[in-house]
Amino acid sequence: MEAAAAAEEGAEPGSGGAGGPEEPVVSLAEVLAENEELEKEARAVLGGSDHERCSYSQGAVKRQALYACSTCTPPGEEPAGICLACSYECHGTHKLFELYTKRNFRCDCGNSKFKNLQCKLLPEKGKVNSGNKYNDNFFGLYCTCKRPYPDPEDEIPDEMIQCIVCEDWFHGRHLGAVPPESGDFHEMVCQACMKHCHFLWAYASQLADEGIVLNVEENEEQKKEIKKESGVEHQEKEEGKRTEQFNEPSTSSGPSCPEIVTKSEEPVCKLKELQSKKFLRKDTATFWPSNWRSKLCTCEDCLKMYLELEVQFLTDECDTVLAYENKGTSDQETDRRDPLMDTLNSMNRVQQVELICEYNDLKTELTDYLRRFADEGTVVKREDIQHFFEEFQSRKRRRTNRMQYYCS
C-alpha cells in the first residue's frame, strides 16, 4: 500500500517521492475488490451453514461445513465431527481440522466421543450418531498417501480434489489419471469409488473422451441414437427442459434444485442401453462436467442399485458442492450493498488518500493480530475481534492527540 507512504511525504501516489524509484500504486477500490473476492469464497463455503446455532437439532444435515477437533479427539480416539457453530463456541481455542463440507452428517460435539467436553450450545444429545460416516480426514490425513494438508514435507506443487462419492481429498498426481489441464470439470470420482460404482464406466466410456472426462455436449448424436432405440425421445426432451436450468450457477435465494428422484419415470433402462455397447474400464479416477448427474438412469432397477451401493445421492442435483455454495452465496448477497464503496465514491481525492492511510493502518494491524491465531491454530472469537478494535481505537486517539499537540 505505497499510496499511504506517498501521502505522508506530501507526494502524489505513485510519483516515487523525492527522486526515488517509482513504486506500484494499489488503489483502495482494487484492495476492496480483492477482499470482496476472498469474502465471496468464504461466504460460499460457510454461508450455507449456521454459525450461531448447533446443527444437531436438524438431524443429518444434507450438506454443511464440518470440522474435526484434534484436541478433543486425537489420533487413537474415535473420529468425530463438529458443526460450524460448535467450532466457534465449544472449540475456539482447540486445534481443528477444516473438513470443508460433508453430506448427511449430524454434529457430534459433546456426545460420548468427547470424554471431557459438553456442548455449550446443545448439551442434550444422543451418545452417538450411527448414520455418520468417517474417514482419515477427521484426523487430518488425506488422499491414498495418507498425508496432512498442507504437508510440510511435500515440496511438489499440487492441487487437492475432492471425490464426490467418498468425499476424501486427493492429490492430482495420485488419481491414476492427469486432471484436465483446463480444469473444465465439475466433479471427480476417485479410483476406489469407480470400482465400487462400476456402473459409471458405462456412462463414462460411452459419453466420454477416452473414458476419462464425460462431455455431454460432444455426444448429442450418440444420445439421440440411444433415445430412438429406447423409444423415449419425446420423454427425454421434456426431461431436458427440466434440467436446463442446472447448466448455469443459481443466483436465486429460492429453490434451485429439482426434487430427488423417488420413483421410476423411464420405461427403458438407459444403463442397459449403454452396457450393450462396448466400453472400457480403467484403473483411474474420472472427471465429470456440470449436469452429468441428470443423465443417470432412474428406472426402478437402477434406483434399487443406487440404494444397495449407498450412492442414491448421485441422482440429487442439490447434493453437489456447487449447489451448496450457490445457496450460501445467494443467501448472503441478496440486495447487499457495500457502504464503504458508497462512501469512497462520495469523497474528493484528498479524502480518499486519507482514507487509504487509515485503511492501511487497520489492515496491517489486523493482519498481524490474526496471524497469531493462525500460527496457534485457534479460532478467532467475537470477543477477540471486539478487543482488537477497542485497542485500535485507543491507539488512534493517542496518535490524534499527539498531532493536535504539535500543531498547536
Side-chain angles (χ1 to χ4, degrees), residues 1 24-37 341 344 359 363:
M1 304 301 295
V25 174
V26 179
S27 70
L28 183 57
E30 291 173 326
V31 172
L32 293 176
E34 180 181 352
N35 287 348
E36 170 64 19
E37 186 62 30
M341 287 299 296
L344 182 65
Y359 182 84
K363 183 177 180 181

Side-chain angles (χ1 to χ4, degrees), residues 382-397:
R382 182 179 302 168
E383 49 265 36
D384 296 322
I385 297 299
Q386 290 175 341
H387 176 72
F388 167 80
F389 279 103
E390 288 172 0
E391 290 293 316
F392 181 79
Q393 287 293 339
S394 176
R395 289 192 295 272
K396 182 180 177 182
R397 282 194 294 270

Side-chain angles (χ1 to χ4, degrees), residues 214-231:
L214 178 66
N215 192 324
V216 176
E217 297 301 321
E218 292 181 2
N219 293 276
E220 291 299 324
E221 293 301 321
Q222 188 178 36
K223 287 192 293 181
K224 288 178 181 179
E225 185 178 320
I226 294 172
K227 293 173 193 174
K228 289 177 181 178
E229 290 176 0
S230 60

Side-chain angles (χ1 to χ4, degrees), residues 143-144 163 166 170-177 188-198 201 282-287:
C143 189
T144 55
C163 172
C166 66
F170 297 84
H171 294 98
R173 65 184 186 273
H174 294 161
L175 290 172
M188 181 273 288
V189 181
C190 72
Q191 290 169 275
C193 289
M194 283 302 296
K195 291 179 180 178
H196 177 67
C197 305
H198 50 82
W201 281 115
K282 300 182 179 182
D283 186 20
T284 67
T286 51
F287 306 88

Side-chain angles (χ1 to χ4, degrees), residues 252-301:
S252 169
S253 58
S256 59
C257 297
E259 294 182 359
I260 303 174
V261 177
T262 56
K263 63 179 181 179
S264 171
E265 295 181 354
E266 301 189 22
V268 177
C269 178
K270 287 196 289 186
L271 177 59
K272 289 181 179 178
E273 292 287 342
L274 292 171
Q275 289 176 333
S276 67
K277 305 176 185 297
K278 292 183 179 180
F279 63 89
L280 180 65
R281 293 188 185 184
K282 300 182 179 182
D283 186 20
T284 67
T286 51
F287 306 88
W288 308 77
S290 175
N291 204 31
W292 72 275
R293 297 190 187 207
S294 66
K295 308 304 174 183
L296 297 178
C297 182
T298 56
C299 74
E300 185 176 350
D301 288 341

Side-chain angles (χ1 to χ4, degrees), residues 78-79 90 164 202 205 223 236 251 282 314 323 354 367 379 391:
E78 289 187 81
C90 307
I164 54 95
S205 296
K223 287 192 293 181
E236 289 295 339
T251 56
K282 300 182 179 182
L314 287 179
E354 291 176 349
T367 300
V379 175
E391 290 293 316

